[in-house]
Amino acid sequence: MAATALAALALPGTPAMSLAGDPAEAAAHDHAGHPNGGCGALEAITVDGPVGCTHGPDPAPPGIDISQPWPARSSQPEFEPTEAAAVGSVPCIGDGVSGKRVQAIYAHPADRPNRASQVVPQIRTWAAETDAVINISAQKRGATRHVRFVTRSDCTLDVKVVTLTAQGDDNLTNTVAELRLQGFDRTDRKYLVWMDSTVLCGIASLYIDDRPTKDNANNSTTAPPTVARVDSGCWGLASRGQSVEAHELVHGLGGVQPTAPNATANSHCNDESDRMCYADGSPGYAEWTRCDVAREALLDCGGDDYFHPSPPAGSYLATHWNTANSDLLASSDVPPPPPDKLTRLAGSTRVETAIRTSRDAFPTADSATAAVLASDRSFADALPGVPLASAEDGPLLLNGRDRLDPAVAQELQRVLPARATVYLLGGTGALGDAVARGVQALGFTTTRFAGENRYATAVAIAEHGLGAPDTVFEATGHTFADALTGGSAAAAVGGAILLTDGSTQSVETAAYIARHPTARRYALGGPARAADPAATAFAGRDRYATASAVARHFFSGPRTIGVASGLSFPDALAGGANIAIRNGPMLLVAREAPLPAATVDYVRSQSAIDHSVVYGGTGVVSDRVAYELANLIPG
């Protein structure tokens, strides 16, 4: 971040120390950079007793004179307007007041005029820009994070207007103390204050607590609330990539902890370009640039210091405080769908999502008779696995190539009785010998279905796994969507999935048809229809329409439907085995709304549907899609 008048007030004293429990443990959380009285080189202050720390104001952004109150600006923006310069309003989340929330405040000292009528409408825009900084940062990593602002019954931002004494703006200590005297001390709130003053640019409080758990002092409802303050000269700089409001609010959420990989001693970072990084005067500060200057408007350039919605396993943010996990940030801007209408089965990875579907279908120990194991990275050999899992009355689980995943091993031991069979789909290029040995070491029998290619593997599953059924569903082996559509349908009629070589019939599938000339054949999608013109075809204008056509033909009055991404295979694959047990079809959707028209038409046409199951997390099927889907279900 370019040099700016920002200060972080750290509160590592009594409240945070008491949250740690054991005094020795509390001392361990007091970072080595603050060995003297909890503040080290920083200035110690007190707010209602606890020790606090601040490094004091720093220079404002270039061209900004903090002595000039808003709306004065003395130069053109340093950056072109950014995507974080939001237009509109903050999201209206739930009832607007329940749970942990950020309360917006317009404050003015008694010796300055009350400009609330002029400023409050602007605060609603600046708050929306603050939310945009955080949410766009999350979107860059395939997620959603919205600030849980307090909103009014009409869904507009609730802005409290507060008059302080003439000394209330002198420093953050006075501001916090006077806000508390006026009742702004709720532990389920954080306060974002637009101070109509020209004392500084921005300042905020946070707790020095890097524990990753929900009881982190920055997230707890037992610690006094943090306060972020922005003075008039620095209001509304999001359009130039310098949202001071976002910077200070992120401090209030607990960023940046001193233990972070690129942290400074003053709770910032040094790996530019980044909303929380700048030369803050910390000893030994050495700036290094890892992202383009356009990234300056957003959070955590490297995704490794203070904000990442899905940090890699074992990384710093997976094992330390991550502001993206704050309860003050919502992963959706829509209300959750009614649980009686929709269930989401999801884990943090595709492997965990498959395990979650297994536990849903087989909730008690030893309740499955077999299991199917497929590659979590390659769809080709896995596509014919859904009807096999259904026929064997077991789950379809996903695994990597090189070793048996410990979580998969644990699920196999839970769901299967001793000496049960685990079917491996594909050759060692999909699931290596080490995977088979890992399964065998658990006491299970392994049977591998594999051919020289994906077409031969599908035939091997059909003939040797399913007993050469007289109903086959053909789908292209070049992509996955059409075969995923057919999985639950094939399971419903005791059929098998065979693969075509795109629009050309594969040699292996042709040989199977020649050996079983009376088999009933269905072609799913345009390529399969071209490969086998004699088959009964179900081919819509897109994958979503094809899925709906298959559902309409093969499922009469289903009560439950499955829904998964039509743009990735893992969740629909594991979900296909799950929805087959529920005797329902698998429909496909895009990640974001609106729902495909064919999906909407199908659901509306089926009056018996009373529930839907979404397979996969919000990164593949958004909450908005789930919400719209639930709203289609009557009742």
Side-chain angles (χ1 to χ4, degrees), residues 59-120:
I64 296 299
D65 181 356
I66 63 171
S67 70
Q68 298 297 311
W70 178 87
R73 290 286 187 265
S74 57
S75 73
Q76 294 299 312
E78 182 182 355
F79 299 100
E80 292 296 319
T82 69
E83 56 188 339
V87 176
S89 59
V90 301
C92 185
I93 299 171
D95 63 6
V97 294
S98 298
K100 299 176 184 178
R101 299 273 175 170
V102 175
Q103 176 68 64
I105 294 176
Y106 166 74
H108 71 97
D111 58 349
R112 289 180 177 265
N114 182 344
R115 297 193 294 166
S117 60
Q118 178 185 7
V119 174
V120 167

Side-chain angles (χ1 to χ4, degrees), residues 234-317:
C234 289
W235 291 346
L237 298 180
S239 63
R240 53 182 287 158
Q242 294 281 0
S243 173
V244 179
E245 291 93 341
H247 178 107
E248 301 308 339
L249 180 58
V250 170
H251 271 315
L253 299 179
V256 180
Q257 293 297 313
T259 53
N262 301 288
T264 71
N266 289 337
S267 294
H268 296 104
C269 46
N270 65 353
D271 56 329
E272 291 283 11
S273 295
D274 190 304
R275 188 81 296 271
M276 300 298 290
C277 294
Y278 74 103
D280 62 1
S282 295
Y285 179 90
E287 178 182 309
W288 66 288
T289 301
R290 65 194 302 189
C291 298
D292 186 84
V293 68
R295 196 64 174 70
E296 171 68 24
L298 304 178
L299 305 179
D300 210 343
C301 170
D304 55 356
D305 288 314
Y306 61 92
F307 185 91
H308 195 309
S310 302
S315 65
Y316 174 82
L317 287 179

Side-chain angles (χ1 to χ4, degrees), residues 97-99 103 183-191 221 223-226:
V97 294
S98 298
Q103 176 68 64
F184 296 104
D185 59 353
R186 290 180 56 166
T187 58
D188 62 349
R189 295 288 186 261
K190 292 184 184 293
Y191 298 100
T221 57
T226 56

